Amino acid sequence: MIKATRAALAGAAAAALAVSLMALPTASAATGGEDGTSTGRAKDGAPRTLGELGRRAGIRIGTAVDMSALAADAPYRAEVAGEFSSVTPENVMKWEAVEATRGSYTWGPADELIDFARDNRQFVRGHTLVWHSQLPAWLTTGTFTPDELREILHRHITDEVTHFKGRIWQWDVVNEAFNEDGTLRDSIWLRNLGPGYIADAFRWAHEADPKAELYINDYNVEGVNAKSTALLALVTELKKQRVPIDGVGVQGHLAVQYPAPHDIADNLRRFDDLGLDTAITEADVRMVLPADATKTEAQAEGYSVLLQGCLLTEHCTDFTVWGFTDKYSWVPGTFSGQGSANILTEDYRPKPAYTALSQDLRLAGRG
Ligand code: XIL
């Protein structure tokens, strides 16, 4: 359904977006919605949310969700429910969260998000099954033979995918497997199992839920570079070996102090041509604090470049922001001195980036 709409609109989207690049200012519309609400929903029922506009343009618009904020902060909850058409758990499906103690699973918080998504007719991206980070201590400090580790990974993937079977739209099966130079990252998995762990992970996930769409996901693979080219070589090989992989996730963690990846559509097309879906899975655009008008405009441009790259790619299925309000963001805790990376302010007012995304979607969905 989504794909049929996308295919029909691809040409119109390309033409409209070319115009938007040259002609549409983003700053002037940054002061708020027509009706004075934070994100500008219209009272006449016309589509105004990113999720609704995305639907018209043939893509899902998602956000990462912080489960503590969802429980404690009513405006946050209302924005997640009203603005987006898909959700990704920011942390609660990661290995350290679901199996902090060996053999004892904690599914509650992730189940809660899935119920929330069902109530709000949202899709869920599962994040993430195989990663070098946020692993439980029993795993990273334990002593295991390669055979034992292979069994541990097999069981983790099987148990987690089985638990959520039928409720996950897309799984990030393997996350951040590459170094910047395109070599495979040295991790507990590569060290002990060799590069074949990637194909195995996809096969095991597919066995557990044959209908879920399976993605490989990474950062700094927005444009054409050594890392994205190595990723392309890997997925080409996986496809050749008939490994059940459906898509490539491009995280989209940008910073205004670095050039925006204006060649993103050229890059995504390389994966599209292989018959793979693509998605922007974790968009945010950080800046060195304090924020100012110039940086905030550059940020809007960064978000827009990512979304337009997706809209210009026929089988780019979704665009997810890694949080939507500066009130809750992983950036200040990870990148010292940086922040203000999201599309809404701390008090939920739209920034130029929000307006830019909204305008791009309106143009792509026209006709
Ligand atoms: C981040 C979360 O946002 C933080 O809350 C957590 O402390 C660390 O992980 N790439 C990914 C995400 O794939 O899972 C990361 O999320 C951000 C970078």
Side-chain angles (χ1 to χ4, degrees), residues 22-36:
M22 295 182 295
L24 285 175
T26 52
S28 57
T31 45
E34 294 91 331
D35 64 350

Side-chain angles (χ1 to χ4, degrees), residues 20-225:
S20 90
L21 272 174
M22 295 182 295
L24 285 175
T26 52
S28 57
T31 45
E34 294 91 331
D35 64 350
T37 62
S38 64
T39 46
R41 250 155 261 144
K43 292 199 176 89
D44 61 6
R48 287 290 188 275
T49 68
L50 296 179
E52 287 165 6
L53 294 168
R55 207 158 287 151
R56 292 192 162 197
I59 64 170
R60 294 262 159 181
I61 304 293
T63 183
V65 178
D66 173 333
M67 291 309 289
S68 319
L70 195 73
D73 184 336
Y76 180 92
R77 202 174 169 86
E79 289 289 346
V80 177
E83 192 68 43
F84 298 97
S85 52
S86 84
V87 290
T88 307
E90 185 171 356
N91 286 301
V92 297
M93 283 187 192
K94 293 173 180 174
W95 200 327
E96 70 172 8
V98 299
E99 199 188 2
T101 305
R102 191 171 183 192
S104 154
Y105 289 110
T106 305
W107 304 120
D111 284 339
E112 232 172 82
L113 180 62
I114 289 178
D115 289 347
F116 179 92
R118 187 202 51 218
D119 292 348
N120 293 293
R121 295 192 302 280
Q122 294 161 321
F123 284 4
V124 181
R125 298 199 80 255
H127 178 83
T128 178
L129 297 170
V130 190
W131 194 21
H132 64 277
S133 186
Q134 292 183 274
L135 294 170
W138 63 262
L139 179 56
T140 52
T141 61
T143 314
F144 303 104
T145 66
D147 279 352
E148 285 168 339
L149 272 175
R150 190 175 146 84
E151 198 33 51
I152 287 170
L153 183 63
H154 188 174
R155 198 188 50 110
H156 168 70
I157 292 174
T158 302
D159 288 354
E160 180 152 5
V161 176
T162 301
H163 177 80
F164 296 114
K165 185 176 179 182
R167 301 184 290 164
I168 299 293
W169 175 37
Q170 301 176 339
W171 267 112
D172 288 332
V173 176
V174 175
N175 196 32
E176 303 183 347
F178 284 93
N179 294 312
E180 299 307 293
D181 66 0
T183 55
L184 286 176
R185 180 192 293 271
D186 176 42
S187 70
I188 184 172
W189 311 120
L190 183 69
R191 254 193 322 278
N192 288 283
L193 312 183
Y197 82 87
I198 297 175
D200 285 341
F202 279 91
R203 291 194 181 104
W204 294 332
H206 184 69
E207 271 164 31
D209 187 353
K211 289 195 182 141
E213 295 174 11
L214 305 183
Y215 274 66
I216 188 165
N217 194 48
D218 218 322
Y219 63 94
N220 286 351
V221 291
E222 290 73 30
V224 174
N225 58 37

